[in-house]
Amino acid sequence: MSNGSENTVESTLFTTGYCRQIERFTRRDAPWRMNTFDALVVLIHHPRIGYLLFDTGYATHFFTETSCFPYSLYRAITPVIFSKRDALVSQLNERGIPATAIRFIFLSHFHGDHIAGVRDFPDAVFICSQEAYQHIRDKRGLAAVRKGFVPGLLPPDFSKRVRFIEDGKRYPFQEVYGVFDPVYDLFGDESLLAVRLSGHAPGQYGLFFTDRIAGPTLLCADAAWSMEAIRNQSEPHPFTYAVMGGKKEYRRHFQQLVAFHQTQPQVRILPSHCPEARSIAKGGER
Ligand SMILES: [Zn+2]
């Protein structure tokens, strides 16, 4: 891949509230203690395309849509700490970026902590995998909750505003880096590459790009919970696999992340709930 300035972007990390969960569930060498897991969002500025979001994190819609049974079960299982100011749309407004400036929203997968803010961006075109969308589009009630999906978080016109990753051009990432396939070139300029990391959720995708300052970056969504897990090669607790499903695919992609980190240590990997990503977001670094 060429690293010329023509295909570099600028990225800024945000956290949008957090949930509390037992750390051991995410990493089997971690202690049995409650820890906090922030919901990371990345704002990407592409010189030609404009603003794109990687996920949307928590938002006020999460609370209105999970106030009644059965969706209230979701909130009971992952207690969320959030104030209105944490919503991405508020944080962007504070920086002088109106909601209407967001042209695209890339959705790694359809769990509530990744899609809760989409209704705050009425002009955005959604980019997700057809595989992920097919899996949840008709799910309602308990069947939806079991998939971590809250249907009311998506706007009614979602299907008219969505564009599927798989319709794009394939990029030979595996030939260059030895791992990850398929990978799609979102805008045909090699600037934003969608990397299939299915397992945590069916059809989950991450995003690979070169930040103008921080260099090559892989947003791996929930394919790993932390960089510590990748460094220690520590998989989730068996209980998590039992609840999550997709164990075989999760393990395959997790091992690929481990190998990718070992052979390409210069690439910054950012899992969506990683404490190290949270520090970057809170420190205002890129
Ligand atoms: Zn998830």
PDB file of all heavy atoms in Angstrom, residues 270-284:
ATOM      1  N   LEU A 270      -6.472  -0.344  17.635  1.00  0.00           N
ATOM      2  CA  LEU A 270      -7.353   0.265  18.634  1.00  0.00           C
ATOM      3  C   LEU A 270      -8.650  -0.536  18.774  1.00  0.00           C
ATOM      4  O   LEU A 270      -9.582  -0.362  17.993  1.00  0.00           O
ATOM      5  CB  LEU A 270      -7.678   1.711  18.241  1.00  0.00           C
ATOM      6  CG  LEU A 270      -6.498   2.689  18.165  1.00  0.00           C
ATOM      7  CD1 LEU A 270      -6.944   4.016  17.572  1.00  0.00           C
ATOM      8  CD2 LEU A 270      -5.897   2.906  19.548  1.00  0.00           C
ATOM      9  N   PRO A 271      -8.720  -1.428  19.779  1.00  0.00           N
ATOM     10  CA  PRO A 271     -10.008  -2.089  20.064  1.00  0.00           C
ATOM     11  C   PRO A 271     -10.983  -1.063  20.662  1.00  0.00           C
ATOM     12  O   PRO A 271     -10.572  -0.157  21.390  1.00  0.00           O
ATOM     13  CB  PRO A 271      -9.631  -3.159  21.096  1.00  0.00           C
ATOM     14  CG  PRO A 271      -8.129  -3.315  21.008  1.00  0.00           C
ATOM     15  CD  PRO A 271      -7.634  -1.951  20.619  1.00  0.00           C
ATOM     16  N   SER A 272     -12.267  -1.213  20.370  1.00  0.00           N
ATOM     17  CA  SER A 272     -13.252  -0.182  20.740  1.00  0.00           C
ATOM     18  C   SER A 272     -13.421   0.015  22.241  1.00  0.00           C
ATOM     19  O   SER A 272     -13.892   1.055  22.674  1.00  0.00           O
ATOM     20  CB  SER A 272     -14.616  -0.516  20.137  1.00  0.00           C
ATOM     21  OG  SER A 272     -14.577  -0.315  18.747  1.00  0.00           O
ATOM     22  N   HIS A 273     -13.072  -0.996  23.049  1.00  0.00           N
ATOM     23  CA  HIS A 273     -13.270  -0.851  24.494  1.00  0.00           C
ATOM     24  C   HIS A 273     -11.952  -0.920  25.265  1.00  0.00           C
ATOM     25  O   HIS A 273     -11.935  -1.208  26.453  1.00  0.00           O
ATOM     26  CB  HIS A 273     -14.242  -1.928  24.989  1.00  0.00           C
ATOM     27  CG  HIS A 273     -15.529  -1.951  24.210  1.00  0.00           C
ATOM     28  ND1 HIS A 273     -16.392  -0.868  24.179  1.00  0.00           N
ATOM     29  CD2 HIS A 273     -16.077  -2.888  23.403  1.00  0.00           C
ATOM     30  CE1 HIS A 273     -17.423  -1.167  23.396  1.00  0.00           C
ATOM     31  NE2 HIS A 273     -17.253  -2.372  22.909  1.00  0.00           N
ATOM     32  N   CYS A 274     -10.843  -0.638  24.563  1.00  0.00           N
ATOM     33  CA  CYS A 274      -9.510  -0.766  25.161  1.00  0.00           C
ATOM     34  C   CYS A 274      -9.172   0.436  26.050  1.00  0.00           C
ATOM     35  O   CYS A 274      -9.342   1.583  25.634  1.00  0.00           O
ATOM     36  CB  CYS A 274      -8.473  -0.881  24.040  1.00  0.00           C
ATOM     37  SG  CYS A 274      -6.796  -1.012  24.644  1.00  0.00           S
ATOM     38  N   PRO A 275      -8.669   0.185  27.277  1.00  0.00           N
ATOM     39  CA  PRO A 275      -8.284   1.297  28.151  1.00  0.00           C
ATOM     40  C   PRO A 275      -7.219   2.200  27.527  1.00  0.00           C
ATOM     41  O   PRO A 275      -7.188   3.410  27.789  1.00  0.00           O
ATOM     42  CB  PRO A 275      -7.722   0.599  29.396  1.00  0.00           C
ATOM     43  CG  PRO A 275      -8.245  -0.788  29.351  1.00  0.00           C
ATOM     44  CD  PRO A 275      -8.473  -1.120  27.911  1.00  0.00           C
ATOM     45  N   GLU A 276      -6.338   1.637  26.701  1.00  0.00           N
ATOM     46  CA  GLU A 276      -5.291   2.455  26.069  1.00  0.00           C
ATOM     47  C   GLU A 276      -5.898   3.403  25.029  1.00  0.00           C
ATOM     48  O   GLU A 276      -5.452   4.536  24.887  1.00  0.00           O
ATOM     49  CB  GLU A 276      -4.227   1.556  25.439  1.00  0.00           C
ATOM     50  CG  GLU A 276      -3.466   0.785  26.496  1.00  0.00           C
ATOM     51  CD  GLU A 276      -2.635  -0.381  25.949  1.00  0.00           C
ATOM     52  OE1 GLU A 276      -2.019  -0.245  24.889  1.00  0.00           O
ATOM     53  OE2 GLU A 276      -2.625  -1.438  26.615  1.00  0.00           O
ATOM     54  N   ALA A 277      -6.913   2.940  24.317  1.00  0.00           N
ATOM     55  CA  ALA A 277      -7.606   3.810  23.358  1.00  0.00           C
ATOM     56  C   ALA A 277      -8.334   4.918  24.117  1.00  0.00           C
ATOM     57  O   ALA A 277      -8.360   6.074  23.693  1.00  0.00           O
ATOM     58  CB  ALA A 277      -8.599   2.998  22.530  1.00  0.00           C
ATOM     59  N   ARG A 278      -8.894   4.550  25.279  1.00  0.00           N
ATOM     60  CA  ARG A 278      -9.583   5.535  26.127  1.00  0.00           C
ATOM     61  C   ARG A 278      -8.596   6.644  26.535  1.00  0.00           C
ATOM     62  O   ARG A 278      -8.940   7.822  26.497  1.00  0.00           O
ATOM     63  CB  ARG A 278     -10.132   4.842  27.372  1.00  0.00           C
ATOM     64  CG  ARG A 278     -10.781   5.787  28.333  1.00  0.00           C
ATOM     65  CD  ARG A 278     -11.074   5.126  29.669  1.00  0.00           C
ATOM     66  NE  ARG A 278     -11.832   6.023  30.513  1.00  0.00           N
ATOM     67  CZ  ARG A 278     -11.296   6.967  31.268  1.00  0.00           C
ATOM     68  NH1 ARG A 278      -9.997   7.143  31.275  1.00  0.00           N
ATOM     69  NH2 ARG A 278     -12.067   7.770  31.987  1.00  0.00           N
ATOM     70  N   SER A 279      -7.375   6.253  26.938  1.00  0.00           N
ATOM     71  CA  SER A 279      -6.385   7.256  27.351  1.00  0.00           C
ATOM     72  C   SER A 279      -6.065   8.215  26.223  1.00  0.00           C
ATOM     73  O   SER A 279      -5.926   9.424  26.439  1.00  0.00           O
ATOM     74  CB  SER A 279      -5.072   6.589  27.772  1.00  0.00           C
ATOM     75  OG  SER A 279      -5.315   5.644  28.737  1.00  0.00           O
ATOM     76  N   ILE A 280      -5.953   7.678  25.005  1.00  0.00           N
ATOM     77  CA  ILE A 280      -5.664   8.550  23.860  1.00  0.00           C
ATOM     78  C   ILE A 280      -6.836   9.515  23.676  1.00  0.00           C
ATOM     79  O   ILE A 280      -6.638  10.715  23.507  1.00  0.00           O
ATOM     80  CB  ILE A 280      -5.451   7.717  22.565  1.00  0.00           C
ATOM     81  CG1 ILE A 280      -4.242   6.797  22.709  1.00  0.00           C
ATOM     82  CG2 ILE A 280      -5.272   8.642  21.364  1.00  0.00           C
ATOM     83  CD1 ILE A 280      -4.048   5.821  21.562  1.00  0.00           C
ATOM     84  N   ALA A 281      -8.063   8.999  23.752  1.00  0.00           N
ATOM     85  CA  ALA A 281      -9.244   9.854  23.567  1.00  0.00           C
ATOM     86  C   ALA A 281      -9.307  10.927  24.642  1.00  0.00           C
ATOM     87  O   ALA A 281      -9.537  12.100  24.355  1.00  0.00           O
ATOM     88  CB  ALA A 281     -10.514   8.997  23.588  1.00  0.00           C
ATOM     89  N   LYS A 282      -9.071  10.546  25.886  1.00  0.00           N
ATOM     90  CA  LYS A 282      -9.169  11.504  26.989  1.00  0.00           C
ATOM     91  C   LYS A 282      -8.024  12.523  26.959  1.00  0.00           C
ATOM     92  O   LYS A 282      -8.186  13.660  27.367  1.00  0.00           O
ATOM     93  CB  LYS A 282      -9.155  10.769  28.336  1.00  0.00           C
ATOM     94  CG  LYS A 282     -10.393   9.929  28.581  1.00  0.00           C
ATOM     95  CD  LYS A 282     -11.607  10.809  28.843  1.00  0.00           C
ATOM     96  CE  LYS A 282     -12.824   9.960  29.127  1.00  0.00           C
ATOM     97  NZ  LYS A 282     -14.070  10.740  29.135  1.00  0.00           N
ATOM     98  N   GLY A 283      -6.858  12.082  26.437  1.00  0.00           N
ATOM     99  CA  GLY A 283      -5.712  12.978  26.371  1.00  0.00           C
ATOM    100  C   GLY A 283      -5.771  13.912  25.182  1.00  0.00           C
ATOM    101  O   GLY A 283      -4.916  14.781  25.026  1.00  0.00           O
ATOM    102  N   GLY A 284      -6.765  13.691  24.332  1.00  0.00           N
ATOM    103  CA  GLY A 284      -6.904  14.544  23.152  1.00  0.00           C
ATOM    104  C   GLY A 284      -5.855  14.268  22.093  1.00  0.00           C
ATOM    105  O   GLY A 284      -5.683  15.030  21.162  1.00  0.00           O
TER     106      GLY A 284
END
